[in-house]
Amino acid sequence: MLANKLNPKIFEKDVEMKAIRDGYGDGLLIAGEANPDIVVLCADLTESTRSQKFAEKFPKRFFELGVAEQNLAAVAAGLGVSGKIPFISSYATFSPGRNWEQIRTTIAYNDSNVKIAGHHAGIMTGPDGATHEATEDVAIMRTLPNMRVFVPCDWIEAKKATIAAAKLWGPTYIRFAREKSPVVTTEKTPFTPGKAEILWQSKKPQALIVASGVLVHNALLAARELENEKIGTVVLNLHTIKPIDEEKIASLAQKCGAAVSVEEHQIYGGIGSAVAEVLAKNHPVPQEFIGMQDTFGESGNPWDLVKKYGMDAKDIRHAVKKVLRRK
Amino acid sequence: MLEPLHEKKLKFLEEKANQIREDLIETLLEAGSGHSAGPLGMTDIFTALYFHILNHHPRNPNWEDRDRLVLSNGHICPVRYVAMAHAGYFPIEELKTLRKINSRLQGHPHRTALPGVETTSGPLGSGLSQSVGMALAGKLDNKKYKVFCLMSDGEHNSGNLWEAAMFAGKNKLNNLIGVIDRNNIQIDGFTEEIMPIEPLKEKYEAFNWHVIEVDGHNIEAFVDAVNEAHAIYEKPTVIIAHTIPGKGVSFMENDYTWHGKPPDKEEAKKALSELRTLGGKIESEHK
Ligand SMILES: Cc1ncc(C[n+]2csc(CCOP(=O)(O)OP(=O)(O)O)c2C)c(N)n1
Ligand SMILES: [Mg+2]
């Protein structure tokens, strides 16, 4: 059964499509309006990382650094320890990819109040190819002490995560996808940082599906099809990867007895790994991992790539059946 | 010294450049995404490189004595792919697969996907470092090959590039030739507004490079500049090529909004008719 307050058209063919990155732009405007200490920095990708509206509305609080992501991170670190709340954006392969050490030392270790927006994350970046498809960003960010990590599932949640990041103290990473994707939530869907949300709950769940980001929709499609095959599941939207909602994941795993993690990211070190850590520590159950299986992506149509790399609803369904056999 | 550039060869190169521009437009249209301005602006230089300057064997792309052509600003790879196809590296037909699934022609070039591209690029600012590595290896092995590193002006914002420039100057890498696409645009606007890089010549000179400035659409001048670079013994050389982004297609020229988009059907038609008539100077051969 779908949870309340979700988009009622979630399973319709004409479900509204909008890019997750759009939520960053809208969130920045709202946060910037509310707090004059918010500043936005960009590295020659102002429009495609959706910082343009903020730049136009608050030109004095917007800084263009050119193609220089290491400088982007470290300048923001300086602003962040001087009373400002900097948001920095680039493609995730460059920030937090290229400038990881600057983020580690000058932002995380310094505990500087910087918000890092990693755009064009995941293989659904599409035609640009693997150089521009960040599939490791969650792993390299969640391993940093002091770092909070959000992976919103649609543009509305992305807006909420951006606003929450502005209000919460501390270094924060938010992951955004480029391509238009189905709108899963509504303005009324609860979003509490650190609390995973149940989006689908069967009466007698046999498997827990923990999903993040753009693939949450596929997880819901899979859950509905499984229900028709009389296989009950719970779908948990893990929008906060860190701090992770240990309690909810562990208790649901205990109830279901098996888990499948779903991420548009490398399975080594990412969301599946984070879930496995929680399970191993609290309540070990068999787990299957949907995600990039230790391979780079490539150019192509985003939805074709999701199929080719085994992250479609059908693949999630198969993974659930497989994990049930391992119970 | 390169083989002399006779009148006839020059004419051949100019015609080849025009064919490459036409195929570029068709390739970008078919791909449905990709970059237009940079590739059109660098077409004359790619033509000069692949059809006159480089010591290479398209059918044996891994020949160990080949000159290395590194494309640091990987997003302009469509022009490289078209030039490579024309030079015989792969069938021209294959250009249709650009940016599509299961293609060797990745949206940004990938070393292990397509022999001859030398290195994976797209993320800006690290091509010069890799070229320095290749030049160093050539020195260690007493090889005669040259390393050409094509860079954009926008990527001169990046620190990594200047780290490489400093190191190349220190090591007097005279087998390394940098070529800069000085087209004055990047994504967010004009380079001198986004992040001023001038005076560029003086910056490289301060890093112990020999600097030559040329009109990037004058193939003869570019070939002369490469000859001059080959004659410099104590320094790496950089050729600052002044180019017009979108060159050859009037409505794309000097407009930074054409950095990262392909023409649509109508635009492609207009572009092709301009190219086929050399901007109205000759009647179309394709009537
Ligand atoms: C490290 C890195 N940061 C950002 C980008 C995104 N990007 C791609 S092209 C480009 C503009 C660079 O300017 P230039 O190469 O001069 O562009 P062109 O003249 O070809 O339009 C940027 C910022 C990138 N590819 N790599
Ligand atoms: Mg440029």
Side-chain angles (χ1 to χ4, degrees), chain B residues 1 64 73 125 134-135 165 262 264:
Chain B
M1 277 292 276
E64 60 175 313
N73 48 332
M134 294 176 195
D264 64 23

Side-chain angles (χ1 to χ4, degrees), chain A residues 2 6-12 15 182-185 217 220-221:
Chain A
L2 261 186
L6 294 183
N7 181 2
K9 287 178 77 173
I10 221 166
F11 292 134
E12 315 266 307
V15 57
V183 179
V184 171
T185 66
H217 188 253
L220 289 170
L221 290 175

Side-chain angles (χ1 to χ4, degrees), chain A residues 284-302:
Chain A
V285 298
Q287 181 183 343
E288 289 293 322
F289 296 75
I290 293 284
M292 293 296 283
Q293 308 286 326
D294 197 24
T295 164
F296 286 105
E298 62 174 295
S299 290
N301 167 292

Side-chain angles (χ1 to χ4, degrees), chain B residues 130-229:
Chain B
Q130 296 172 72
S131 304
V132 162
M134 294 176 195
L136 277 177
K139 294 254 174 213
L140 287 170
D141 292 343
N142 283 318
K143 292 282 190 193
K144 293 233 163 45
Y145 68 75
K146 305 282 180 190
V147 182
F148 291 86
C149 179
L150 306 194
M151 296 169 271
S152 69
D153 46 7
E155 69 176 324
H156 281 74
N157 299 168
S158 123
N160 187 171
L161 188 151
W162 293 105
E163 294 168 30
M166 203 181 299
F167 182 80
K170 172 192 169 193
N171 285 283
K172 303 186 170 45
L173 293 175
N174 61 358
N175 53 349
L176 174 64
I177 300 170
V179 179
I180 301 171
D181 175 16
R182 185 66 175 117
N183 64 5
N184 296 300
I185 65 163
Q186 52 196 105
I187 292 183
D188 282 351
F190 294 107
T191 59
E192 297 315 285
E193 281 161 26
I194 300 306
M195 184 58 64
I197 57 172
E198 292 296 342
L200 189 55
K201 179 168 193 271
E202 286 80 355
K203 281 196 179 71
Y204 269 96
E205 282 170 348
F207 281 61
N208 290 315
W209 286 60
H210 179 69
V211 185
I212 308 170
E213 297 201 63
V214 298
D215 168 357
H217 305 302
N218 183 335
I219 290 178
E220 206 172 2
F222 183 72
V223 170
D224 284 347
V226 172
N227 269 320
E228 181 179 328

Side-chain angles (χ1 to χ4, degrees), chain A residues 42-48 52 62 64-71 91 93-94 98 126-132 297-301 304-305 308-309, chain B residues 31 33-35 98-103 105-109 120-126 154-160 163 186-189 193-195:
Chain A
C42 195
D44 200 18
L45 290 168
T46 307
E47 173 53 38
S48 72
Q52 189 69 30
F62 173 78
E64 166 72 78
L65 283 96
V67 193
E69 294 79 14
Q70 294 169 304
N71 200 35
Y91 297 160
T93 46
F94 314 137
R98 173 164 299 196
D128 275 335
T131 52
H132 286 54
E298 62 174 295
S299 290
N301 167 292
D304 291 346
L305 291 173
K308 174 164 176 179
Y309 290 89
Chain B
S33 68
H35 301 73
L98 173 65
R99 292 183 154 251
K100 294 186 178 157
I101 201 164
N102 300 322
S103 171
L105 311 188
Q106 290 293 295
H108 293 81
T120 300
S121 60
L124 295 165
S126 64
E155 69 176 324
H156 281 74
N157 299 168
S158 123
N160 187 171
E163 294 168 30
Q186 52 196 105
I187 292 183
D188 282 351
E193 281 161 26
I194 300 306
M195 184 58 64

